Amino acid sequence: MRDFYGTALPGGLMLGTAQYPSPAILADAFRRSGASVATVSLRRESGQDRAGQDFWRLISDLGVRVLPNTAGCHTVKEAVTTAHMAREVFDTPWIKLEVIGDADTLQPDVFGLVEAARILTADGFQVFPYTTEDLVVADRLLDAGCEVLMPWGAPIGSGLGLNNIFGLRALRAHFPDVPLVIDAGLGLPSQAAHAMELGFDAVLLNTAVAAAGDPAAMAEAFALAIRAGQLAAHADPMEPRDMAAPSTPLLGKAFLG
């Protein structure tokens, strides 16, 4: 189990809190999944009716670590400002940093991401950057003060899984001591298991669970898949080979004349 800024997170599953059919289903999904982190987006409160307080009370009752995010931010200034507001509201130095560069794919603006990460780290934040699998960008983010990297598997909400296995495998090999979280694009538990088999430390999900016909059951399925992938990774799996190899030895086999 790897530490995230000094905090050990059991289970390897982080869950988003958007798009669930009801608060009760959201709470049930967290209970059945055993997720240790809830990602939340900052929403402005109404001074008159304090809108959002019921949601915040629900999240607090889950008993998990809160990871605010800067979802929807397209500039460095917007992301930094949102992060500061989130720290005041949620009382945590953790921030999932998103600086979106493309409206269709929601691909990160990696140039703005590195700049924002440097600013926020200097301001005392513990930054979880939503990034690509690019090795050079990863190196720049670590130089900027990030201690965790969150590469996408595929575009947010697409359910396409792990689009660039080579790139993700290279990222894991290049940064063996850095906590790595697959963030975005997973649609099936099997894809999460694959991520863990590749040696990643956690996955972050939202749409795959919240949009399922039975979100709580899907959340539990992801938790089981992640555990299976972790066990497989630690079990020293066999290497693939091109030719068949019999699993039953020929020694002692009876030959009929």
Side-chain angles (χ1 to χ4, degrees):
M1 185 184 305
R2 213 181 294 261
D3 286 350
F4 294 77
Y5 291 103
T7 299
L9 299 177
L13 178 58
M14 304 179 180
L15 271 184
T17 55
Q19 303 178 359
Y20 287 83
S22 72
I25 291 176
L26 185 156
D28 194 25
F30 269 85
R31 280 192 295 268
R32 290 180 61 174
S33 71
S36 54
V37 173
T39 60
V40 295
S41 297
L42 180 68
R43 294 291 182 267
R44 297 182 184 273
E45 292 184 359
S46 164
Q48 182 176 0
D49 57 11
R50 295 187 63 77
Q53 288 303 296
D54 288 342
F55 175 76
W56 175 230
R57 192 175 300 110
L58 169 64
I59 298 302
S60 299
D61 289 344
L62 294 175
V64 298
R65 188 72 185 250
V66 174
L67 177 61
N69 64 40
T70 62
C73 293
H74 291 259
T75 67
V76 172
K77 181 178 180 180
E78 190 178 11
V80 169
T81 301
T82 301
H84 278 277
M85 294 171 65
R87 182 164 63 178
E88 291 186 16
V89 171
F90 298 109
D91 191 27
T92 176
W94 280 18
I95 191 73
K96 180 192 168 189
L97 179 61
E98 297 183 26
V99 183
I100 301 301
D102 182 78
D104 291 328
T105 64
L106 301 182
Q107 179 170 329
D109 172 359
V110 295
F111 305 100
L113 183 67
V114 171
E115 182 182 349
R118 195 179 305 279
I119 293 170
L120 291 173
T121 299
D123 286 341
F125 285 88
Q126 296 172 336
V127 178
F128 292 66
Y130 163 61
T131 183
T132 66
E133 68 277 15
D134 188 284
L135 295 178
V136 177
V137 174
D139 210 31
R140 297 292 187 273
L141 287 167
L142 295 174
D143 287 344
C146 298
E147 297 181 15
V148 176
L149 297 173
M150 302 182 76
W152 65 347
I156 293 172
S158 68
L160 292 173
L162 306 179
N163 273 356
N164 185 357
I165 302 298
F166 170 81
L168 294 172
R169 198 190 305 274
L171 190 69
R172 178 71 285 174
H174 200 74
F175 302 103
D177 299 322
V178 176
L180 298 179
V181 181
I182 293 293
D183 176 17
L186 299 185
L188 293 171
S190 57
Q191 296 163 352
H194 193 186
M196 307 312 285
E197 289 167 1
L198 291 175
F200 282 77
D201 301 291
V203 300
L204 194 158
L205 310 164
N206 195 155
T207 308
V209 170
D214 186 340
M218 184 61 78
E220 183 177 355
F222 268 101
L224 293 172
I226 288 168
R227 179 60 179 152
Q230 289 171 329
L231 288 172
H234 295 148
D236 191 18
M238 64 173 285
E239 292 291 332
R241 51 197 173 203
D242 293 329
M243 301 297 292
S247 57
T248 302
L250 296 178
L251 185 65
K253 177 181 176 181
F255 288 92
L256 303 178

